[in-house]
Amino acid sequence: MRYNTITVMAALLGKSLSTPLKRAQITGITPDAATFAQSSFDYVIVGGGTAGLVLAARLTENSAVNVGVIEAGETRFDEADVNTPAYLGQGLFNPLFDWSYESVPQATLNGRSVGLSHGKMIGGSSALNFMVWQRGSQGDYDNWSQLGIDGGWDWAGLLPYFEKTESVTPGPLDTPYNFTESAGVGSGEGESGPLPISYNNFYSTIEGPYAQSLLSLGVPKNADPDNGDTTGFFNGAASVDAQSGNRTHSGRNYLLPNAGRSNLAVLVGAQATRIQFSQTASGGNASATGVQFTASGTNYTVLAGKEVILSAGSLHTPQLLELSGIGDETRLSALGIPIIVANSDVGENLQDHQTLYSEFLLADPDIPTINTLFSNASFAATQEEQYLTNHTGFFTYTPSAVSFLPLQQLWTDDELHTALAQLQTEIAQANISTFISNQFQLQIDGIKQGLVAQMELLFLAGVLGETSTDQENFVDIANMASRPFSRGTIHINTTNPLASPQIDTAYLQFSFDKQVLLKGAQLIRNLSQTAPLSSFISSPLSPSADVSTDDDFENFITENVSTEWHYVGTASLGPLGEGGVVDSNLIVYGTSNLRVVDASIMPMQIGAHIQATVYAIAEKAADIIKAAQ
């Protein structure tokens, strides 16, 4: 830490000074909460995750600006479960890395709760996720502008920021997927961003047969999914550095290169508990003056000279807003929380990709899978040597066989017509806002047009999060409802800021979402019985071969549907009074200087893994904030 030398000399000499004294100023990554709280910052960012560290890096490019970041987790730069791509899933629900939440019991899931991971470390969920790197389709983002959202929150407005984030190393041409050109060579790929992006250099021998069977069922190849159309099968990119073979994330690639800046401090091991506001005149906007936080059992307040920015993620941002007096007036008044801004849309509109895993036993125990790294010592030693020496091999593996399908590939026209008719009946009977009703109409229009993907299939050469010394080999094929109609909520039910928020995912709120998952699971079963993949599959394990009828599959879905960890929408962009919590500059309505920059501002779910979009949102937000300075 650095102290003002004039202050020290004055104390030693017993003299007073007629000019104001500067406060202590801390820099770098630090656990020193007391000095952090006494430091002077123009911007205080809550959350050192995907978006927060992008903002910290970009805002401190201006040496006249001081930025402080508050992060509840710790640095995990040396953890193999974070850095090693093939260990994906090993960090889930580990309290060192993960908030490890659960939803409230779900009536639609027979009272079952759903485990919800959320990154708790420097880098946040970008250091915990599966590293799948992709943009959504153009229609995903253009839909946002159809909800009355201006300011370039559409495909054209976000595309430069996708490119600004990434530095893409094109993939190898020689892959089992038999594309005619290498992945990552399109005209819109970023070449000089802070975040290295690459493609697998190792493919399990099971992935070629999987791809061939998928294509034989009519799924088209897509050589350039970054061009605004993600439909079809493609060789997926990953947030992995081709030079080191390690995961890339906002902590490693945005923070570390800039951690030595004299105008940046990142406090670890501290949880924000409330935003502090100044008194405002009647009818005026509230002004955020600082953030209250707790560290090692002690409470502190750090002041913000210009802005407070919430980058705590879709699960924590609405919680902090409500704890701070921004939310539904009835809910907050019942808890005795003084109302700063009354807005009943805070914590509403939660959307997540609903996910189902199908597990299969392979006929050949020697096919390399993630489990082979744990069960076959000689194979693991060879791969470890390759990883450490050349930064290649199975330890750099990520799921790369990615496909997105319109529902016309799953349903006949009559089946789809019947399913949509039932959906519209259920929507008419539901108590939904105009904002969500408008979203539903955009979703239904997209389904009918058949131009955007509604279902994702993702192949994993292994079983998610499970490792064993057993010689038997397994693979997972996941199907996800990419644009579900279910809308959940996140709210507080206590003034204790350290309590978990009440998360209601509302999975399968509409029967249509269950039908999409049903069709996906049946497609995967059919795929496993289609040559050449069928000759590699010994038997289905989960769901078992006994699960065969529609009713069987529906019961399996109810018992097993889970999250893809893509929570969005709980502090949404949108018009005030019509679903919006933030305006097009990401300022919280009713405040003058409180912004939200994370996935919670996304008004509608996209047909893609969301991390690249969160990076783009943060890059765009940084430019918005700089323009306002």
Side-chain angles (χ1 to χ4, degrees):
M1 69 186 72
R2 299 186 303 154
Y3 292 96
N4 187 289
T5 54
I6 298 176
T7 305
V8 176
M9 290 298 296
L12 291 173
L13 296 173
K15 296 180 179 181
S16 63
L17 299 174
S18 59
T19 57
L21 298 179
K22 291 185 177 180
R23 309 175 88 189
Q25 187 70 33
I26 199 167
T27 64
I29 304 172
T30 177
D32 187 348
T35 307
F36 183 91
Q38 288 299 309
S39 297
S40 298
F41 299 110
D42 298 298
Y43 299 92
V44 174
I45 300 170
V46 178
T50 311
L53 296 182
V54 173
L55 288 174
R58 293 305 189 188
L59 294 180
T60 54
E61 290 172 344
N62 178 355
S63 60
V65 167
N66 284 311
V67 174
V69 180
I70 302 171
E71 168 55 37
E74 305 287 347
T75 57
R76 303 294 179 189
F77 294 121
D78 297 327
E79 297 280 356
D81 283 348
V82 173
N83 295 333
T84 307
Y87 289 165
L88 78 170
Q90 299 299 309
L92 296 177
F93 301 105
N94 182 334
L96 295 177
F97 313 129
D98 189 350
W99 286 95
S100 303
Y101 286 139
E102 280 196 350
S103 74
V104 299
Q106 299 291 292
T108 53
L109 307 183
N110 294 334
R112 181 170 63 89
S113 296
V114 178
L116 303 168
S117 289
H118 189 52
K120 185 182 182 182
M121 60 183 129
I122 288 295
S125 293
S126 69
L128 185 67
N129 63 21
F130 287 10
M131 294 157 280
V132 178
W133 185 262
Q134 62 165 147
R135 305 164 189 173
S137 292
Q138 178 173 342
D140 285 320
Y141 309 105
D142 288 350
N143 275 344
W144 299 1
S145 65
Q146 298 299 309
L147 296 171
I149 299 165
D150 57 14
W153 293 102
D154 54 15
W155 171 258
L158 284 168
L159 182 57
Y161 296 106
F162 284 114
E163 297 173 3
K164 186 175 183 179
T165 298
E166 62 190 16
S167 180
V168 178
T169 299
L173 181 57
D174 183 19
T175 72
Y177 305 148
N178 294 323
F179 283 90
T180 57
E181 61 183 41
S182 299
V185 296
S187 60
E189 310 290 350
E191 298 178 350
S192 57
L195 197 74
I197 301 298
S198 65
Y199 293 82
N200 281 5
N201 60 76
F202 181 97
Y203 298 86
S204 173
T205 52
I206 189 69
E207 291 181 276
Y210 168 81
Q212 293 171 49
S213 293
L214 186 67
L215 296 172
S216 74
L217 294 179
V219 177
K221 290 183 181 180
N222 185 344
D224 187 13
D226 289 339
N227 68 356
D229 177 8
T230 64
T231 58
F233 170 74
F234 51 89
N235 183 17
S239 47
V240 172
D241 187 345
Q243 298 302 310
S244 68
N246 289 334
R247 174 199 295 269
T248 60
H249 60 85
S250 64
R252 180 170 297 280
N253 299 97
Y254 274 87
L255 174 60
L256 276 187
N258 305 303
R261 289 176 177 169
S262 62
N263 58 343
L264 174 60
V266 179
L267 177 65
V268 295
Q271 185 171 345
T273 57
R274 184 176 174 272
I275 305 152
Q276 178 174 285
F277 293 94
S278 64
Q279 296 294 322
T280 59
S282 178
N285 286 333
S287 177
T289 59
V291 176
Q292 297 175 10
F293 65 92
T294 183
S296 300
T298 302
N299 297 325
Y300 302 90
T301 299
V302 62
L303 301 181
K306 292 182 181 290
E307 294 185 10
V308 172
I309 304 169
L310 292 183
S311 294
S314 292
L315 303 188
H316 285 145
T317 285
Q319 179 189 29
L320 274 169
L321 288 173
E322 291 185 339
L323 288 168
S324 306
I326 299 177
D328 178 75
E329 188 170 4
T330 301
R331 174 178 283 102
L332 300 189
S333 296
L335 292 170
I337 298 174
I339 304 300
I340 301 297
V341 178
N343 188 336
S344 60
D345 292 311
V346 172
E348 299 290 306
N349 197 40
L350 171 63
Q351 299 160 62
D352 184 20
H353 290 145
Q354 299 165 29
T355 304
L356 197 68
Y357 290 91
S358 296
E359 182 177 325
F360 298 91
L361 174 65
L362 297 181
D364 184 353
D366 294 327
I367 290 176
T369 66
I370 291 173
N371 192 60
T372 314
L373 296 173
F374 296 85
S375 65
N376 186 322
S378 61
F379 177 79
T382 300
Q383 292 303 313
E384 182 179 23
E385 176 67 20
Q386 188 174 346
Y387 180 53
L388 296 175
T389 304
N390 303 320
H391 314 301
T392 59
F394 205 162
F395 279 103
T396 68
Y397 171 84
T398 64
S400 64
V402 185
S403 53
F404 283 83
L405 315 178
L407 294 183
Q408 282 78 359
Q409 289 192 279
L410 303 172
W411 265 308
T412 66
D413 288 344
D414 287 344
E415 288 174 332
L416 184 55
H417 176 80
T418 300
L420 285 174
Q422 176 63 28
L423 171 65
Q424 290 173 312
T425 297
E426 293 178 17
I427 290 173
Q429 295 170 346
N431 181 24
I432 59 174
S433 67
T434 300
F435 186 59
I436 292 177
S437 178
N438 291 338
Q439 294 179 36
F440 285 175
Q441 190 57 56
L442 290 169
Q443 288 180 246
I444 290 170
D445 290 345
I447 289 170
K448 290 179 177 179
Q449 292 165 3
L451 300 178
V452 291
Q454 308 291 335
M455 163 65 64
E456 177 187 1
L457 298 183
L458 184 68
F459 182 86
L460 177 64
V463 177
L464 176 62
E466 296 183 14
T467 54
S468 170
T469 57
D470 195 312
Q471 291 294 324
E472 288 191 313
N473 247 348
F474 310 91
V475 295
D476 271 344
I477 307 175
N479 64 290
M480 298 89 159
S482 297
R483 290 180 176 82
F485 286 84
S486 302
R487 296 292 189 274
T489 60
I490 296 176
H491 293 297
I492 60 174
N493 66 348
T494 174
T495 57
N496 177 6
L498 303 185
S500 301
Q502 298 294 292
I503 307 169
D504 183 359
T505 57
Y507 288 162
L508 311 184
Q509 176 186 13
F510 295 97
S511 61
F512 189 87
D513 292 345
K514 180 183 281 189
Q515 291 302 308
V516 171
L517 291 169
L518 169 66
K519 289 294 184 181
Q522 289 174 332
L523 174 64
I524 290 173
R525 175 66 64 81
N526 184 24
L527 182 63
S528 71
Q529 296 170 347
T530 301
L533 181 62
S534 56
S535 63
F536 292 81
I537 300 291
S538 174
S539 63
L541 294 180
S542 177
S544 69
D546 292 337
V547 174
S548 58
T549 67
D550 284 3
D551 287 344
D552 292 339
F553 274 103
E554 286 194 14
N555 290 334
F556 179 80
I557 291 166
T558 301
E559 294 169 359
N560 292 278
V561 64
S562 61
T563 176
E564 201 179 1
W565 307 284
H566 294 164
Y567 326 114
V568 307
T570 53
S572 181
L573 277 163
L576 177 61
E578 300 178 22
V581 175
V582 299
D583 66 16
S584 60
N585 290 317
L586 305 185
I587 291 180
V588 175
Y589 286 117
T591 76
S592 60
N593 64 337
L594 172 63
R595 293 188 209 252
V596 175
V597 183
D598 57 34
S600 70
I601 67 99
M602 295 168 60
M604 290 181 67
Q605 186 58 274
I606 62 173
H609 293 244
I610 67 171
Q611 73 156 329
T613 299
V614 176
Y615 276 102
I617 287 170
E619 288 279 14
K620 181 177 174 67
D623 277 359
I624 290 172
I625 295 168
K626 286 180 178 181
Q629 290 174 352

